[in-house]
Every structure is written in C-alpha cells, then in structure tokens.
Amino acid sequence: MRARLRELLRERARERRLRAAAARAGAAGFAARVHAELAEELPDADLGEDLSDFLDHHEPGADPEADAELRARVREARDRIARGY
C-alpha cells in the first residue's frame, strides 16, 4: 500500500513538472512570436531582445508623431507578452 502511494505521488509530481515545463515553453514561444511580428512591422527599429529596455533607452527621432506611434506599438507588444495573449 505504501509503495503504491509513493509511486502515485511521484507520478503526480512528474506530471506537474511536465505541465510547468510545457507552460514555460509555450510562453517563451508566444513572446518570440510577438517580438518577431513587431520586428516585421518595424524593420528599421533596432528592438533588441527586451522591449522594456528599448522603451527606456530609445532616443526620439526627428518626427515626434512617428516616434509616438513606434513607442505605442512597442508598448502594446510588451503588454501582449505580459498578458500572454
């Protein structure tokens, strides 16, 4: 009885680890997909890997309206990644 219970607990722990790993992989894949879409939309922008870092260090360009649009799109993508959808 004890051995059966121990085996059952091990199996459940393994299933939880597998589900957690799959969720992390799914989230990383989603983030990469959103980042790639943004890079495709804005080919001239050097986005880097961290969108928050881009927003913190981006130097405004000559056209304030275009710069505001760029920042809005990057913010939207960053928020989509944070939300997970």
Side-chain angles (χ1 to χ4, degrees):
M1 175 89 171
R2 213 176 209 165
R4 174 79 177 125
L5 179 60
R6 197 173 335 179
E7 182 62 33
L8 184 64
L9 290 172
R10 283 185 184 142
E11 181 63 26
R12 286 191 180 167
R14 186 175 85 67
E15 288 172 3
R16 278 194 304 271
R17 284 192 305 273
L18 288 174
R19 280 194 303 270
R24 284 191 302 273
F30 175 74
R33 199 168 48 250
V34 170
H35 199 279
E37 289 171 4
L38 184 64
E40 196 173 292
E41 286 178 28
L42 307 168
D44 296 335
D46 183 18
L47 299 173
E49 289 195 27
D50 185 7
L51 297 180
S52 293
D53 190 46
F54 173 83
L55 290 169
D56 290 342
H57 297 100
H58 176 69
E59 296 290 325
D63 184 3
E65 190 174 307
D67 190 56
E69 177 67 23
L70 170 70
R71 288 176 154 290
R73 285 192 172 188
V74 172
R75 242 183 259 113
E76 180 183 322
R78 181 195 61 191
D79 294 345
R80 274 182 64 202
I81 291 170
R83 286 191 314 264
Y85 59 90

